[in-house]
């Protein structure tokens, strides 16, 4: 049974279960208090200050959950969240203004514009791999757009979930933004059955994403689905191999490979395969040292279940680098494997760990066949110096990606982030978050000084003029 806590102080913010009083949240939203610009700015500032005040504890929690190095945790979690909030503080006034759009000739002399309304009470469900920012970065968007929110961090990253709870309870009254903790498979359906949210923003696996989509469909609740997938990384024959090696190693082995947009597997042009693998393995060793288990810059696997799954992948090819592990510390070293069967299970599901299969290709078509076995990846990466190759590769369907880089498209708040088809629906970050958490209301405003009779019956003799108005 969920219990209640209401004191708005850090000292009291340690309860692990909550009574989410959704009716209270609904009535606070209905009061209109969250809608004005000043209120939204104040709340964004409160969130920012609570994060700044708790920076040390957040870093500690991320270390406890995933052994994240402080520098990595700062740039992939805290820094990104603060940058998002700062962008909203800077741009919100402009985003909230009515947005003028053109008006067609048929409606002359009307004017047209969009008004951005909040969606209402939104539900944000987050995963464990970037447990801080994947919870609070969407929350910043929800606040900026004038919503109330319930957030659900992952139970698997419990230290971070605790500090998030502390921040939320300190910064916000619980009838405005509140948090629900616990086993997602129990708590989420329970909440979604008992309350009609106005939007669900879900980040996590495809499998659970489908459940969320179904539950939301019962009440026609719109959803944003930020899912996963197998993101390919291509190294063309003309690529700068040293740069490719560094950037691929960073994208793959940050957070011990537990990144939704990590390169899942490599496709290296046959003509540079040997050279690339040599540079790549030297680069990994340089970045994470010969024994990554003692390296403070290298993370751990989240839990025993995921560890076991990743161990089974190690047996599905020839390990040419790494392959070491320690079950006691949930450690799996950065690992490169070759001679993998494209039909093996490692190639049928997202790896989501530090194991990187490498394939070679000679023609784009050959590589495409491998990619199409897992269509619509969340990300796609291409290393090449050729504009022609760029054009050839860019017509593959994927959520977003990089040319001559990996993963960092996520860190540019000017770019929308999201998947396509299998890898998700909807997008966010910066202005796109504001739009995701808003309803753009279309308004046509028509003056009364002009009211041509052509639109009104009787229509006799008007068809040819109406056709002209439509350009025919
Ligand atoms: P998950 O789907 O297991 O859990 C995500 C959230 O859903 C958690 O809060 C969890 O408590 C809740 N949940 C779990 N089971 C549920 C159920 N049956 N019903 C309702 N809610 C439930 O995902 P995960 O293992 O935490 O995250 C890993 C996956 O997330 C990977 O596939 C990864 O690619 C994806 N991911 C995507 C993004 C993105 O931005 N697109 C970011 C990070 C992770």
């Amino acid at each position: 049974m969920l219990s209640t806590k209401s004191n708005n102080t850090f000292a009291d913010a340690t309860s692990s279960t909550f009574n989410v009083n959704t009716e209270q949240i609904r009535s606070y939203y209905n009061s209109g208090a969250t809608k004005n610009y000043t209120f939204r700015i104040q709340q964004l500032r409160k969130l920012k200050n609570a994060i700044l005040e708790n920076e040390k504890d957040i870093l500690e929690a991320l270390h406890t959950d995933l052994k994240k190095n402080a520098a990595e945790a700062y740039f992939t979690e805290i820094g990104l969240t603060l940058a998002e909030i700062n962008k909203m503080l800077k741009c919100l006034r402009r985003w909230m203004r009515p947005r003028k759009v053109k008006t067609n000739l048929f409606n002359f002399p009307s004017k047209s514009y969009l008004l951005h309304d909040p969606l209402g009470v939104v539900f944000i469900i987050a995963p464990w791999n970037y447990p801080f920012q994947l919870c609070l970065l969407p929350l910043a968007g929800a606040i900026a757009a004038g919503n109330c929110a319930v957030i659900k961090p992952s139970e698997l990253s419990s230290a971070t979930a605790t500090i998030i709870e502390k921040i939320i309870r300190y910064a916000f009254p619980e009838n405005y933004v509140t948090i629900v903790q616990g086993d997602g498979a129990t708590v989420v359906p329970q909440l979604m059955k008992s309350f009609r949210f106005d939007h669900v923003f879900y980040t996590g696996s495809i499998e659970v994403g489908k459940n969320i989509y179904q539950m939301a469909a019962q009440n026609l609740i719109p959803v944003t689905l930020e899912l996963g997938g197998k993101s390919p990384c291509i190294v063309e024959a003309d690529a700068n191999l040293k740069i490719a090696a560094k950037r691929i190693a960073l994208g793959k082995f940050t957070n011990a490979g537990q990144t939704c947009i990590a390169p899942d597997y490599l496709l290296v042009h046959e003509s540079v395969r040997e050279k690339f693998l040599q540079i790549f393995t030297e680069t990994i060793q340089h970045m994470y040292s010969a024994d990554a288990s003692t390296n403070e810059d290298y993370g751990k696997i989240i839990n025993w279940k995921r560890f076991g799954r990743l161990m089974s992948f190690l047996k599905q090819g020839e390990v040419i680098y790494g392959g070491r592990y320690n079950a006691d510390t949930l450690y799996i070293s950065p690992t490169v494997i070759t001679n993998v069967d494209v039909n093996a299970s490692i190639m049928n599901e997202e790896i989501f760990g530090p194991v990187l299969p490498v394939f070679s290709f000679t023609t784009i078509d050959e590589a495409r066949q491998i990619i199409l076995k897992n269509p619509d990846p969340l990300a796609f990466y291409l290393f090449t110096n050729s504009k022609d190759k760029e054009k050839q590769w860019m017509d593959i369907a994927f959520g977003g990606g990089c040319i001559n880089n990996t993963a960092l498209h996520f860190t540019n708040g000017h770019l929308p982030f999201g998947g396509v088809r299998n890898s998700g629906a909807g997008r966010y970050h910066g202005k796109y978050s504001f739009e995701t958490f808003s309803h753009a209301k279309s308004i046509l405003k028509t003056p009364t000084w002009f009211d041509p009779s052509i639109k009104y019956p009787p229509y006799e003799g008007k068809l040819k003029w109406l056709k002209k108005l439509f350009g025919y």
Side-chain angles (χ1 to χ4, degrees):
M1 186 57 199
L2 305 168
S3 72
T4 313
K5 274 261 179 175
S6 57
N7 284 354
N8 206 14
T9 63
F10 276 153
D12 285 77
T14 49
S15 160
S16 63
T17 53
F18 264 83
N19 180 20
V20 180
N21 191 332
T22 39
E23 289 318 315
Q24 246 184 38
I25 302 178
R26 169 69 67 209
S27 82
Y28 189 62
Y29 176 73
N30 287 345
S31 76
T34 64
K35 293 187 184 172
N36 76 67
Y37 169 77
T38 310
F39 177 87
R40 300 185 197 189
I41 290 288
Q42 280 167 352
Q43 307 314 310
L44 287 168
R45 285 202 185 114
K46 279 191 200 169
L47 182 59
K48 176 177 161 177
N49 291 338
I51 294 171
L52 289 172
E53 279 173 39
N54 284 278
E55 184 180 309
K56 193 169 149 279
D57 289 354
I58 301 165
L59 290 174
E60 259 176 46
L62 290 166
H63 193 268
T64 305
D65 287 331
L66 287 146
K67 195 177 160 268
K68 289 196 190 205
N69 170 281
E72 180 192 311
Y74 191 86
F75 99 82
T76 61
E77 303 248 23
I78 301 177
L80 273 184
T81 311
L82 290 172
E84 179 84 344
I85 297 171
N86 284 338
K87 187 170 175 61
M88 286 170 173
L89 287 170
K90 190 168 155 212
C91 302
L92 186 59
R93 193 184 287 279
R94 181 159 40 90
W95 295 343
M96 282 178 71
R97 278 191 202 125
R99 208 170 296 167
K100 275 190 198 161
V101 298
K102 286 184 183 169
T103 303
N104 57 346
L105 185 60
F106 183 72
N107 284 302
F108 177 84
S110 305
K111 290 200 162 40
S112 305
Y113 57 93
L114 300 175
L115 293 177
H116 285 87
D117 274 358
L119 297 177
V121 182
V122 302
F123 191 18
I124 296 170
I125 307 165
W128 51 261
N129 62 331
Y130 289 86
F132 186 78
Q133 62 104 340
L134 291 174
C135 217
L136 296 190
L137 202 138
L139 176 65
I143 291 173
N147 299 280
C148 289
V150 178
I151 62 173
K152 159 75 182 77
S154 173
E155 65 277 21
L156 301 184
S157 41
S158 56
T160 312
T162 303
I163 185 70
I164 290 174
E165 182 174 321
K166 191 174 162 192
I167 286 171
I168 294 299
R169 284 168 53 71
Y170 175 73
F172 307 116
E174 62 185 348
N175 58 353
Y176 170 50
V177 177
T178 195
I179 180 164
V180 58
Q181 303 275 22
D183 170 31
T186 312
V187 169
V188 171
Q190 199 179 320
L191 251 182
M192 286 185 68
K193 270 183 203 143
S194 63
F195 181 73
R196 191 202 182 280
F197 286 98
D198 298 306
H199 191 89
V200 177
F201 186 101
Y202 169 80
T203 307
S205 62
I206 293 177
E207 201 186 324
V208 173
K210 286 179 185 170
N211 290 345
I212 302 278
Y213 207 179
Q214 273 177 353
M215 284 189 278
Q218 303 304 313
N219 286 316
L220 291 180
I221 299 170
V223 294
T224 301
L225 298 173
E226 298 287 341
L227 310 177
K230 286 185 85 62
S231 302
C233 178
I234 315 296
V235 181
E236 275 284 6
D238 65 346
N240 179 328
L241 298 184
K242 273 192 182 163
I243 290 286
K246 271 204 303 194
R247 296 180 184 173
I248 293 169
L250 183 72
K252 179 68 186 182
F253 300 116
T254 294
N255 199 21
Q258 299 161 114
T259 303
C260 56
I261 46 172
D264 189 275
Y265 58 95
L266 292 190
L267 285 155
V268 183
H269 196 275
E270 180 60 36
S271 62
V272 292
R273 181 183 182 275
E274 289 312 312
K275 195 172 168 202
F276 174 76
L277 283 177
Q278 194 195 333
I279 297 171
F280 187 49
T281 50
E282 285 167 8
T283 305
I284 302 170
Q285 180 155 334
H286 175 74
M287 280 167 75
Y288 296 103
S289 63
D291 179 8
S293 70
T294 55
N295 192 316
E296 270 310 304
D297 295 343
Y298 188 68
K300 73 171 185 73
I301 306 307
I302 185 72
N303 61 17
W304 177 246
K305 191 175 160 202
R306 285 295 312 152
F307 180 85
R309 191 73 202 121
L310 289 164
M311 289 301 294
S312 76
F313 292 156
L314 290 182
K315 301 187 188 99
Q316 296 185 18
E318 183 190 336
V319 173
I320 63 155
Y321 184 85
R324 285 189 287 271
Y325 53 88
N326 182 340
D328 294 336
T329 53
L330 295 175
Y331 163 75
I332 297 179
S333 66
T335 298
V336 182
I337 58 173
T338 56
N339 290 332
V340 174
D341 180 347
V342 287
N343 295 311
S345 66
I346 190 173
M347 286 306 288
N348 288 326
E349 63 184 273
E350 185 180 355
I351 296 170
F352 217 51
V355 184
L356 185 62
V358 180
F359 300 88
S360 56
F361 71 94
T362 45
T363 65
I364 288 187
D365 274 349
E366 194 188 332
R368 239 179 241 265
Q369 292 316 312
I370 297 176
I371 295 168
L372 288 177
K373 288 172 81 66
N374 296 281
D376 315 318
L378 181 58
F380 177 86
Y381 306 114
L382 170 65
F383 285 83
T384 183
N385 282 318
S386 151
K387 287 231 159 60
D388 288 341
K389 292 260 184 277
E390 236 177 83
K391 269 195 203 138
Q392 285 171 344
W393 282 108
M394 282 303 122
D395 71 332
I396 295 235
F398 58 91
C402 305
I403 295 165
N404 293 325
N405 217 328
T406 68
L408 295 185
H409 59 301
F410 188 95
T411 63
N412 179 3
H414 300 283
L415 284 171
F417 180 80
V420 59
R421 292 192 280 272
N422 285 322
S423 52
R427 54 199 193 155
Y428 73 128
H429 284 191
K431 185 179 168 200
Y432 302 95
S433 276
F434 175 80
E435 287 175 355
T436 284
F437 287 107
S438 300
H439 166 64
K441 223 157 52 177
S442 302
I443 310 289
L444 182 85
K445 182 175 173 183
T446 311
T448 52
W449 55 265
F450 183 61
D451 197 26
S453 65
I454 188 167
K455 290 171 200 161
Y456 301 101
Y459 289 123
E460 198 184 340
K462 293 180 182 169
L463 181 60
K464 73 172 184 189
W465 298 109
L466 280 167
K467 280 189 171 180
K468 281 195 193 305
L469 277 179
F470 282 92
Y472 292 98

